[in-house]
């Protein structure tokens, strides 16, 4: 029996809209890495408007959206697996093909276009997710919270390192990055494509690969929260979990206020802890990323119960339906603008943000017209074709008149 992708009638609009919202947040976070040497300059010295924009991003955007995307991946995993299981298919084999296809996309994206790819991490973490499909919802929550506890304990352990040793390490690392900066920018601005890819493989790839085990911890935690939501049916149209969603909304709001406030205090150096300053900023950025992630999702879920908000935010759903295509398009467009048109290192944070918003608006319009005529985005179609092992029908069926 052939398995087929989920039909448009079976889609949950709320999930598509949340995914489209997350895609915008991810683009806002990624944009500085497209137009500036963020790989080496991790704490740019912004001034004026850019300084305040950077603060707002740190407080309300940074780490708040890849967590949403990760949650939705876990939720999508449950929908995919449960649907295939209902059809009596070999669910593990089918999902493994899906993961290997995603890993291929991620590897190509990472090697040939951009160091910030997240797809390869999702694919690798997805293999671990297979271990949890049959586990009880309570077990999933225990694992998810435990992983987050381990991750933030590791981050907090840096405060136990003697200040002199941490300062020596930070100074050495900063000097090393500063020594590479001129060469790095020159390669991004002037190298041929082949030279650029070769340089990136030597300069960026080692650190990216070394960071994967660390990144997988939080990604898997969010996958498990999404799998939990799928198992208990949080996003079903007739979901009985409205009161739980309201409690999550209130709890995460209450938790987010002090976390974001502390983040701003450390970011603005109102409290100065010396060499530990950046560690404090990172810790509160990560913690607020978890709480605001759930606050944003629960807020949208509650709002979208009303027809007015469904109609107003529906355009985000079209970009969400084509999330893989739009995510990759953001790289193609950004690399084309900043490297192809030689604007790399020549735009401010505010200008980059404006480019991001205009590009996303264009993607929304493109997604709307594309989804009127086709069942999937181009890369979604390719992903599904590779997953199911046969060419998927692309065009929507003609609507019956009358």
């Amino acid at each position: 029996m052939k398995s087929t992708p989920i039909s448009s009638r079976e889609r949950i609009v709320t999930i598509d809209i949340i995914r489209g919202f997350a895609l915008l947040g991810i683009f806002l976070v990624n944009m500085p890495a497209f137009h500036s040497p963020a790989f080496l300059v991790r704490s740019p010295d912004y001034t004026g408007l850019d300084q305040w924009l950077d603060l707002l991003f740190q407080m309300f955007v940074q780490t708040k959206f890849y967590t949403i995307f990760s949650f939705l991946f876990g939720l999508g995993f449950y929908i995919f697996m449960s649907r295939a299981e209902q059809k009596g298919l070999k669910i593990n084999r089918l999902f493994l093909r899906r993961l290997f296809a995603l890993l291929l996309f991620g590897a190509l994206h990472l090697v040939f276009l951009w160091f910030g790819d997240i797809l390869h991490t999702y694919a690798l973490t997805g293999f671990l997710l297979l271990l949890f499909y049959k586990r009880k919802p309570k077990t999933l929550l225990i694992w998810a919270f435990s992983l987050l506890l381990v991750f933030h304990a590791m981050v907090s352990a840096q405060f136990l390192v003697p200040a002199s040793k941490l300062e020596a390490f930070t100074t050495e690392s900063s000097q090393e990055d500063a020594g590479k900066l001129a060469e790095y920018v020159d390669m991004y601005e002037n190298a041929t494509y082949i030279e650029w890819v070769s340089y990136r493989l030597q300069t960026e790839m080692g650190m990216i690969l070394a960071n994967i085990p660390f990144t997988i911890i939080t990604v898997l935690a969010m996958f498990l929260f999404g799998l939990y939501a799928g198992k208990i049916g949080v996003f079903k149209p007739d979901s009985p979990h409205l009161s739980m969603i309201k409690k999550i909304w209130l709890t995460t709001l209450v938790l987010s206020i002090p976390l974001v406030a502390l983040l701003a205090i450390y970011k603005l150096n109102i409290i100065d802890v010396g060499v530990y300053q950046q560690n404090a900023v990172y810790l509160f950025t990560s913690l607020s990323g978890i709480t605001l992630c759930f606050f944003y999702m629960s807020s949208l879920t509650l709002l979208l119960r009303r027809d007015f908000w469904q109609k107003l935010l529906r355009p985000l759903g079209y970009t969400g339906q084509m999330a893989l295509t739009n995510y990759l398009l953001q790289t193609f467009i950004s690399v084309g603008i900043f490297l192809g048109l030689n604007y790399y290192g020549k735009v401010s944070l505010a200008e980059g943000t404006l480019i991001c918003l205009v590009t996303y608006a264009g993607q929304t319009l493109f997604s709307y017209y594309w989804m009127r005529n086709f069942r999937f985005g181009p890369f979604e179609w390719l992903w599904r074709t590779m997953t199911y092992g046969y060419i998927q029908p692309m065009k929507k069926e003609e609507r019956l008149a009358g």
Side-chain angles (χ1 to χ4, degrees):
M1 183 179 188
K2 280 187 175 181
S3 178
T4 55
I6 194 166
S7 71
S8 59
R9 284 175 295 184
E10 294 173 290
R11 297 197 69 93
I12 302 172
V13 174
T14 297
I15 296 174
D16 288 333
I17 291 174
I18 293 174
R19 187 180 289 113
F21 176 66
L23 192 67
L24 172 59
I26 287 172
F27 197 14
L28 287 168
V29 170
N30 289 344
M31 179 53 72
F34 284 128
H35 65 66
S36 302
F39 186 82
L40 293 181
V41 185
R42 298 176 184 84
S43 300
D45 188 18
Y46 292 119
T47 59
L49 175 61
D50 283 358
Q51 181 182 14
W52 293 107
L53 192 58
D54 177 55
L55 176 63
L56 287 175
F57 280 2
Q58 198 83 37
M59 293 168 64
F60 301 110
V61 183
Q62 189 73 35
T63 75
K64 282 71 176 174
F65 289 91
Y66 91 87
T67 43
I68 296 178
F69 234 59
S70 302
F71 175 94
L72 293 176
F73 187 98
L75 175 62
F77 164 77
Y78 174 78
I79 295 172
F80 179 94
M81 296 287 277
S82 60
R83 189 169 182 269
E85 191 172 37
Q86 288 169 8
K87 290 179 174 289
L89 301 169
K90 296 180 178 179
I91 56 175
N92 286 350
R93 186 172 68 179
L94 199 62
F95 192 70
L96 284 172
R97 293 205 323 230
R98 184 173 176 83
L99 287 177
F100 279 117
L102 185 64
L103 183 59
L104 177 62
F105 291 150
L108 293 174
H109 185 221
L110 174 65
V111 171
F112 294 106
L113 284 171
W114 188 51
F115 68 83
D117 172 77
I118 194 64
L119 302 179
H120 70 285
T121 305
Y122 279 13
L124 293 172
T125 311
F127 290 107
L128 298 176
L129 194 55
L130 283 167
L131 302 173
F132 293 92
Y133 178 61
K134 296 292 187 179
R135 305 301 289 268
K136 296 178 181 178
K138 183 179 179 180
T139 303
L140 299 178
L141 283 184
I142 292 172
W143 269 92
F145 280 113
S146 297
L147 287 168
L148 290 180
L149 180 62
V150 168
F151 177 82
H152 290 99
M154 292 168 64
V155 173
S156 301
Q158 297 177 79
F159 293 102
L160 302 177
V161 177
S164 57
K165 290 186 177 181
L166 186 60
E167 185 173 14
F169 174 79
T170 303
T171 301
E172 182 182 350
S173 179
S174 298
Q175 289 175 346
E176 185 178 340
D177 289 346
K180 295 178 181 177
L181 185 58
E183 178 188 46
Y184 187 90
V185 172
D186 180 64
M187 292 300 294
Y188 266 74
E189 290 181 342
N190 302 311
T192 65
Y193 177 73
I194 299 299
E195 291 172 339
W196 178 69
V197 171
S198 177
Y199 178 78
R200 288 185 53 249
L201 288 174
Q202 298 173 47
T203 306
E204 299 172 349
M205 205 57 61
M207 187 180 297
I208 292 167
L209 295 177
N211 199 46
I212 286 177
F214 196 59
T215 307
I216 279 177
I217 298 174
T218 53
V219 170
L220 180 57
M222 297 309 300
F223 278 8
L224 294 176
F225 281 125
L227 176 55
Y228 171 83
K231 275 184 173 285
I232 67 171
V234 169
F235 290 97
K236 287 183 177 179
D238 56 346
S239 172
H241 300 291
L242 180 60
S243 61
M244 183 186 77
I245 295 171
K246 290 179 178 179
K247 288 178 183 177
I248 290 173
W249 178 86
L250 182 58
T251 301
T252 53
L253 173 62
V254 170
L255 290 174
S256 294
I257 291 172
L259 290 173
V260 170
L262 284 167
L263 170 57
I265 287 170
Y266 283 111
K267 182 71 175 174
L268 293 170
N269 296 315
I270 295 172
I271 294 178
D272 189 350
V273 290
V275 70
Y276 300 106
Q277 196 76 10
Q278 287 304 313
N279 294 337
V281 169
Y282 182 83
L283 175 62
F284 287 108
T285 299
S286 180
L287 288 171
S288 62
I290 301 297
T291 58
L292 278 180
C293 155
F294 284 105
F295 174 72
Y296 290 158
M297 287 193 294
S298 57
S299 296
L300 284 171
T301 303
L302 293 172
L303 284 175
L304 291 170
R305 293 177 62 83
R306 301 176 181 272
D307 290 340
F308 170 79
W309 287 103
Q310 281 227 13
K311 292 177 182 177
L312 182 66
L313 299 177
R314 186 65 184 91
L316 293 177
Y318 298 117
T319 59
Q321 283 181 260
M322 295 173 51
L324 177 60
T325 293
N326 281 316
Y327 173 75
L328 293 173
L329 270 179
Q330 288 170 1
T331 300
F332 297 147
I333 293 169
S334 299
V335 169
I337 292 173
F338 299 116
L339 273 63
L341 300 180
N342 198 29
Y343 282 102
Y344 187 81
K346 297 179 175 64
V347 300
S348 66
L349 182 62
E351 291 167 340
T353 300
L354 182 60
I355 292 171
C356 171
L357 294 175
V358 171
T359 301
Y360 184 82
Q363 287 187 296
T364 303
L365 192 62
F366 165 70
S367 299
Y368 169 71
Y369 283 106
W370 183 276
M371 294 309 299
R372 286 184 64 182
N373 298 294
F374 299 101
R375 299 176 69 206
F376 318 110
F379 279 98
E380 283 76 12
W381 173 83
L382 180 58
W383 192 15
R384 282 161 169 76
T385 294
M386 294 170 70
T387 297
Y388 295 101
Y390 66 96
I391 295 176
Q392 299 290 306
M394 187 66 157
K395 286 277 290 184
K396 282 188 173 179
E397 295 177 0
E398 294 289 336
R399 291 184 178 180
L400 297 176

